[in-house]
Amino acid sequence: MSVRLNLFAPEFRANPYPFFAELRRQPGLAQVDPLGFWAVSRYADVLHVLKNPQLFSSTGHRAPAEPEWLGRSSPFADSMVMVDPPQHTRLRSLVNRAFGPTALGRMEPRIRAYAQQAARELPLGRPVDFVESFALRVPAAVIGELLGLDPSLHSRFKRWADDINNTSSTPPDAHEWRAQIRSTYAEMEQYLKEVIAERRRSPREDMVSDLLASRVEGEALTDAELMGFLFLLLIAGLETTVHLLGHSALVLAERPEVFARLRADRSLIPRFVEEVLRYEPVAQTILRLTTAETELSGVRLPAGSHVMLLLGSACHDEAQFPNSDRFDLDRQGQQTMPFGYGIHFCLGAPLARLEARLALEALLDRCGGLVRDAAPVQWHASIVVRGPTVLPLTVLPG
Ligand code: HEM
């Protein structure tokens, strides 16, 4: 009999890691409630799935992201994260360059300027919500600029991203919440349609215009593919990086000795970011669907089985990371997977790392310490991402 894991249990949402550790100790695979998917908790098994996309497909596993109550098909269905080769290869090659080293090098001065401005405007010496006052600001500015979206909408991006991430997490009785999510899909789609039409009429120097003009083997993106990509970037690129900064601040507030080391030696920042990504993986779960009968961890999975990869668990697997539940700034050299692995490896990983490094540099320049407030941290309700949505902290002057 397999172990079951209730993804909606409040104690699991508050701290999933002890549950993951228990799953890894059990033989075989677990099943998750209420979806019935197979949960893969060990690093080696997650890697095996990600290395075999022909057997574990990214297509067709729409169930949680596209529940019946949504009453529509998800725009993500046409985005690169939910398609297999050859469509995936084509879509990815259309956008790869926009996220490569040359493009990032061009963006770096502007990202630094956003980070420094956000740090300058951060209130010191009194409790603030760190997410609202800092963590959100840099990624929202970057994604807005990348897509050429109106800066006045930055605060709206966050609500959009929250609502869409919550699609998979709404409890059955949350009628109002569901209505809000439905209207967010419509609002976003309407807005993005206008942006696409506008750029078609008068192209600018931004990604939407570039994407409209780009061709692979003479073929352009379809409107549905373009819309899927814009949805994906807004959601995948904003919320995740906000949570990475939120987790970073929480780790620093709880470990003043780590704060002091980073302040004394900024070259430690990239290593710190890697350990935050491992210790608190923002992307907690990804889904695949088996294309043929196969075996995983000794369990026979028929074709069409939903497989939920628990990245949060894989990144805490003792077999890969000794003392895995300890935050260790000196940890080095072990392959980790907060950005996934293989053909769908996160397109925005270099951008997220760059944003985090520049934001932390600006924060360390401005402030002398972070202190947790008595008010509780509020966590994102999603089962897909994990991060603080409200993080009460006092930022001490530097
Ligand atoms: C894919 C995590 C930031 C864009 C992924 C995947 C993971 C991930 C785990 C793989 C999904 C799968 O295999 O099904 C993260 C984390 C981030 C982050 C933890 C920040 C801390 C970003 C940013 C962008 C971005 C900043 C863009 C602005 C994408 C895209 C894909 C993706 C387009 C799909 C790639 C493909 O299917 O080939 N991300 N991401 N991500 N991410 Fe990220």
Side-chain angles (χ1 to χ4, degrees):
M1 206 184 69
S2 67
V3 188
R4 296 195 78 98
L5 171 70
N6 185 349
L7 296 173
F8 292 101
E11 45 301 356
F12 172 77
R13 308 306 282 277
N15 179 9
Y17 300 107
F19 293 88
F20 291 154
E22 182 55 33
L23 292 189
R24 289 193 303 273
R25 278 193 288 274
Q26 304 287 336
L29 299 175
Q31 278 186 290
V32 292
D33 287 323
L35 305 165
F37 296 171
W38 293 101
V40 186
S41 58
R42 281 177 285 274
Y43 185 93
D45 291 337
V46 172
L47 196 60
H48 170 76
V49 171
L50 293 175
K51 277 183 168 172
N52 290 287
Q54 69 296 344
L55 200 51
F56 297 94
S57 163
S58 291
T59 303
H61 59 68
R62 295 183 196 168
E66 203 174 298
E68 246 171 56
W69 60 260
L70 195 57
R72 53 159 299 143
S73 66
S74 162
F76 296 109
D78 292 299
S79 77
M80 75 174 79
V81 78
M82 286 190 65
V83 296
D84 294 328
Q87 196 187 353
H88 173 262
T89 323
R90 178 177 148 266
L91 289 179
R92 187 137 176 158
S93 62
L94 276 167
V95 296
N96 247 339
R97 217 156 27 120
F99 290 87
T102 316
L104 287 193
R106 265 203 312 268
M107 284 185 80
E108 182 165 337
R110 287 197 305 283
I111 303 179
R112 180 176 288 111
Y114 292 137
Q116 286 170 342
Q117 187 185 351
R120 246 190 335 269
E121 289 169 11
L122 189 55
L124 300 179
R126 64 175 172 82
V128 292
D129 169 13
F130 186 84
V131 175
E132 184 79 45
S133 331
F134 188 79
L136 177 61
R137 295 195 48 193
V138 180
V142 170
I143 210 78
E145 176 171 316
L146 202 65
L147 297 175
L149 305 182
D150 184 349
S152 67
L153 293 176
H154 287 176
S155 57
R156 226 198 280 179
F157 297 170
K158 176 73 172 78
R159 178 171 56 75
W160 287 352
D162 274 350
D163 283 352
I164 302 238
N165 270 324
N166 279 332
T167 311
S168 58
S169 324
T170 61
D173 53 351
H175 299 297
E176 270 178 40
W177 196 1
R178 290 177 169 192
Q180 179 181 321
I181 291 176
R182 276 195 296 268
S183 90
T184 291
Y185 270 94
E187 185 186 338
M188 246 178 105
E189 202 157 58
Q190 179 59 32
Y191 177 73
L192 293 175
K193 264 188 188 147
E194 282 166 21
V195 172
I196 294 171
E198 218 305 286
R199 297 303 190 279
R200 246 193 238 294
R201 279 193 301 274
S202 33
R204 292 194 209 160
E205 283 208 351
D206 63 24
M207 191 185 282
V208 179
S209 311
D210 288 353
L211 289 174
L212 282 168
S214 58
R215 302 282 179 275
V216 167
E217 289 165 8
E219 258 189 81
L221 285 170
T222 64
D223 273 10
E225 285 169 343
L226 183 53
M227 181 67 87
F229 185 61
L230 298 185
F231 256 79
L232 178 63
L233 277 195
L234 257 173
I235 306 310
L238 174 63
E239 186 101 276
T240 48
T241 317
V242 175
H243 287 331
L244 172 57
L245 294 177
H247 286 308
S248 299
L250 200 49
V251 166
L252 289 174
E254 285 169 351
R255 293 170 185 75
E257 70 289 357
V258 175
F259 187 96
R261 280 184 70 187
L262 292 195
R263 207 149 189 242
D265 181 0
R266 305 291 159 92
S267 73
L268 292 173
I269 293 177
R271 206 201 284 176
F272 169 80
V273 171
E274 290 317 298
E275 179 64 351
V276 172
L277 282 162
R278 183 204 67 82
Y279 182 71
E280 274 289 12
V282 173
Q284 287 272 312
T285 57
I286 48 186
L287 284 178
R288 295 294 189 260
L289 194 70
T290 56
T291 56
E293 183 179 312
T294 187
E295 203 184 285
L296 190 62
S297 229
V299 177
R300 195 190 65 80
L301 302 175
S305 302
H306 277 86
V307 175
M308 181 178 264
L309 308 179
L310 303 175
L311 294 187
S313 176
C315 288
H316 279 246
D317 188 340
E318 316 57 20
Q320 177 74 4
F321 308 104
N323 295 318
S324 59
D325 286 339
R326 218 181 95 215
F327 184 90
D328 182 0
L329 186 55
D330 298 313
R331 193 184 293 279
Q332 275 189 88
Q334 296 130 349
Q335 187 192 24
T336 175
M337 59 164 76
F339 292 111
Y341 185 90
I343 60 167
H344 289 279
F345 179 81
C346 176
L347 180 71
L351 176 62
R353 287 179 165 128
L354 178 67
E355 287 183 51
R357 173 168 67 77
L358 297 176
L360 288 168
E361 281 175 7
L363 185 67
L364 290 165
D365 284 345
R366 163 99 163 133
C367 93
L370 298 169
V371 181
R372 273 286 297 280
D373 195 56
V377 176
Q378 288 175 32
W379 293 92
H380 204 292
S382 165
I383 56 174
V384 179
V385 292
R386 172 172 165 80
T389 51
V390 178
L391 178 53
L393 287 181
T394 297
V395 181
L396 303 176

